[in-house]
Amino acid sequence: MIIQINDISAYIDKEIIVQGWIHNKTGKGKINFIQLRDGTGIVQCVVFQNDVSNKVFDFAQQLTQESSVLITGVVRKDERAPGIPGGFEIGVTNIQILQSVNEYPITPKNHGVDFLLDRRHLWIRAPRQWAILRIRACVMRSAREWLDQNGFLEISTPIITPAAAEGTSTLFELDYFGKTSYLSQTGQLYNEANIMSFGKVYAFGPTFRAEKSKTRKHVTEFWMVEPEIAYCDLVQLLEIEEQFVSHIVQSCINQCTNELEILKRDINKLKRVVPPFPRITYDDAIQKLIQIKTEKDDTDEKTLIDIEWGDDFGAPHETALTKLYDKPIFVTHYPTEVKAFYMPEVENRPEVCYSADLLAPEGYGEIIGGSERIHDYDTLVNRIKDHNLPIENYNWYLDLRKFGSIPHAGFGMGIERTVSWICGVDHIRETSPYPRMINRDTP
Ligand code: 4AD
Ligand code: MG
């Protein structure tokens, strides 16, 4: 019977077949140890010369990394056996080789990251990459699950749109049959139309930003999940966000035990991610940063963290702030100047707006950006003009402020950033199956 490695515990003392690839092989004299991978896990297969025919033992001797094989054998429980899940091995009785591989390029030795990224189509087979991408799938699955269970309807938003929402400096321009259009930076503006029909919605898809700088936190193509809620203010929005993020993190802890172990992730740090998350205002955050700066001795560190009221945060600021807490934190009421055109000013304090970012702990930084949205027609028109955006591309969006306008709010969570944090992976490039960055659009 053909089985999957992750079901192996149900087949102790039974003869089974596993179809997979050779992850690794060691052996001496009359015995060979094969680490066999099948997509669901890795199992150790033991080939004893005495137990198999000469032909099968020869096959075992010749096996090379990533050769595709069918291995038949009897499952044994053995606490010492390595694998995913460990503790089982297969006493091999037969081996069928589908393809014998010559010189697989990614060997167990250390390779440079560019070498690996050039071979991303093969690199995804490595256990670490396997673990990260499985956690990514869990993040996406549990995000949808929470939203579906809490009354949100998934409505897809277009990828091609002439309406910029998140600044004009990161637009990917498109020649749309002679007219200028862009790859979408966000589904938000369409979500705002959708809530007027469905109340609570979310978009989940790829989004694009022509990020011209190389950083550990930016890719040019990333996935975003964007909930939007009718009749919602900032206070209510943050309550939704903390429930949502906690559900995702706890789902990963429960469903990805092996994967988090492969990544040597400290689960205790993730277990703390339960509501409520601390909330601090931008004003408070600036005070804290100034305080941290005075406590630093090193002049380089002082310069890095230098900030004045009105500046947007960079990575060093987010890192310094999140180090003060052991949970994700909300920073609220950012300066209106540094945020998007659709964010409403606070009454009597127009220099700040009803916005909130969620910063992940341990230096992972912003994973969510969210806000209330301007719902007054004239205010929104003025903002679009102030931001030098071509008003004709926003006529449909302005309609939403003419026909039953309401207070509303929403947020966007970046999947790659969230996966980086949950996995404890320092560079976002490993969290995308095929990352796109300023200098990379292949494989
Ligand atoms: O803060 P941002 O720009 O917010 C929006 O796009 C809103 N329209 C979302 C909304 O309210 N519906 O982006 C949201 C999140 C960021 O917090 C970050 O996680 C991720 O998207 N993100 C990126 N991730 C990877 N690479 C990039 N270049 C990213 N830019 C944003
Ligand atoms: Mg943002």
Side-chain angles (χ1 to χ4, degrees):
M1 163 139 79
I2 295 172
I3 69 149
Q4 294 193 336
I5 293 171
N6 63 349
D7 295 329
I8 198 160
S9 63
Y11 297 92
I12 294 166
D13 296 332
K14 302 232 160 65
E15 190 175 72
I16 50 86
I17 300 172
V18 177
Q19 3 186 49
W21 298 263
I22 306 299
H23 176 58
N24 207 345
K25 203 198 74 181
T26 52
K28 46 177 193 250
K30 293 176 172 227
I31 187 163
N32 275 296
F33 295 99
I34 298 164
Q35 308 304 321
L36 181 70
R37 208 174 53 69
D38 80 338
T40 73
I42 298 182
V43 66
Q44 172 158 282
C45 305
V46 187
V47 193
F48 261 122
Q49 191 167 18
N50 297 349
D51 292 351
V52 293
S53 66
N54 286 344
K55 187 174 132 207
V56 169
F57 195 72
D58 279 350
F59 278 172
Q61 300 272 56
Q62 291 159 22
L63 286 176
T64 50
Q65 195 189 345
E66 291 308 319
S67 291
S68 41
V69 292
L70 261 60
I71 288 187
T72 308
V74 176
V75 177
R76 295 192 287 250
K77 202 162 164 44
D78 183 339
E79 290 306 326
R80 298 158 305 167
I84 309 165
F88 300 93
E89 61 179 29
I90 296 175
V92 176
T93 52
N94 197 14
I95 297 173
Q96 188 187 336
I97 301 178
L98 274 75
Q99 186 181 44
S100 184
V101 167
N102 271 325
E103 295 187 30
Y104 184 68
I106 303 177
T107 58
K109 73 166 189 185
N110 280 336
H111 297 285
V113 73
D114 278 319
F115 178 92
L116 292 167
L117 281 170
D118 285 342
R119 292 157 187 79
R120 184 63 173 169
H121 53 296
L122 304 176
W123 189 25
I124 55 172
R125 302 180 191 191
R128 178 182 156 88
Q129 304 308 314
W130 177 88
I132 296 170
L133 294 179
R134 284 177 60 92
I135 290 171
R136 178 187 166 105
C138 184
V139 167
M140 296 175 81
R141 184 170 65 237
S142 51
R144 276 210 170 84
E145 181 179 74
W146 191 89
L147 292 165
D148 293 343
Q149 283 171 1
N150 284 275
F152 288 76
L153 192 73
E154 182 172 1
I155 306 274
S156 305
T157 52
I159 286 172
I160 298 172
T161 174
E166 301 299 330
T168 49
S169 63
T170 61
L171 288 169
F172 273 114
E173 200 172 304
L174 211 67
D175 176 353
Y176 195 72
F177 306 106
K179 197 175 143 292
T180 298
S181 206
Y182 307 106
L183 292 178
S184 179
Q185 299 169 308
T186 169
Q188 181 196 317
L189 305 189
Y190 298 91
N191 277 341
E192 290 182 61
N194 296 339
I195 54 164
M196 308 288 177
S197 178
F198 304 101
K200 295 198 281 187
V201 303
Y202 66 102
F204 203 159
T207 44
F208 305 87
R209 310 260 169 115
E211 304 282 358
K212 281 133 201 143
S213 54
K214 279 196 207 172
T215 83
R216 293 187 294 121
K217 294 182 180 170
H218 292 88
V219 278
T220 55
E221 179 181 308
F222 59 99
W223 279 61
M224 192 164 25
V225 54
E226 299 185 86
E228 191 77 23
I229 307 106
Y231 295 102
C232 180
D233 64 17
L234 197 63
V235 173
Q236 294 165 319
L237 186 73
L238 301 196
E239 284 165 9
I240 292 171
E241 290 184 29
E242 64 193 0
Q243 299 286 339
F244 175 67
V245 169
S246 303
H247 174 78
I248 292 169
V249 172
Q250 300 310 318
S251 299
C252 290
I253 295 175
N254 294 331
Q255 296 168 28
C256 300
T257 320
N258 290 331
E259 291 83 347
L260 290 164
E261 201 179 300
I262 292 172
L263 299 169
K264 300 192 171 61
R265 184 66 167 114
D266 183 349
I267 310 250
N268 289 322
K269 290 194 172 136
L270 297 177
K271 283 189 178 156
R272 288 184 207 128
V273 182
V274 286
F277 299 166
R279 288 135 166 85
I280 60 166
T281 61
Y282 173 88
D283 292 345
D284 291 344
I286 292 290
Q287 287 309 316
K288 286 188 197 293
L289 287 168
I290 290 168
Q291 179 66 33
I292 295 168
K293 187 184 150 190
T294 57
E295 287 161 9
K296 296 239 189 249
D297 311 321
D298 186 293
T299 33
D300 287 348
E301 283 186 43
K302 272 187 193 291
T303 325
L304 260 180
I305 213 163
D306 213 8
I307 194 157
E308 277 179 22
W309 198 99
D311 294 342
D312 204 358
F313 297 140
H317 308 114
E318 290 182 350
T319 304
L321 278 175
T322 54
K323 275 197 178 144
L324 303 174
Y325 302 87
D326 61 5
K327 282 188 189 189
I329 58 168
F330 290 114
V331 178
T332 68
H333 303 87
Y334 280 83
T336 313
E337 286 267 315
V338 304
K339 288 294 183 191
F341 76 88
Y342 50 75
M343 298 193 186
E345 293 168 353
V346 171
E347 301 77 18
N348 308 321
R349 237 200 122 192
E351 70 278 15
V352 295
C353 59
Y354 286 109
S355 55
D357 282 358
L358 183 66
L359 310 184
E362 305 168 70
Y364 290 95
E366 182 197 330
I367 57 169
I368 289 184
S371 76
E372 294 182 13
R373 325 302 194 187
I374 294 172
H375 61 277
D376 175 66
Y377 181 87
D378 293 326
T379 315
L380 190 56
V381 169
N382 289 335
R383 266 308 180 75
I384 291 173
K385 288 182 180 159
D386 288 348
H387 282 249
N388 290 321
L389 297 166
I391 198 100
E392 62 277 13
N393 289 344
Y394 299 84
N395 283 334
W396 68 266
Y397 184 61
L398 287 163
D399 266 358
L400 309 174
R401 276 66 179 173
K402 282 200 246 170
F403 304 116
S405 194
I406 47 152
H408 62 287
F411 68 92
M413 185 184 86
I415 297 299
E416 289 73 9
R417 298 242 188 118
T418 306
V419 174
S420 286
W421 162 50
I422 294 177
C423 290
V425 166
D426 285 342
H427 202 299
I428 195 172
R429 63 190 165 212
E430 282 183 87
T431 66
S432 172
Y434 298 96
R436 266 58 184 129
M437 293 167 286
I438 184 161
N439 54 357
R440 177 171 297 281
D441 63 356
T442 57

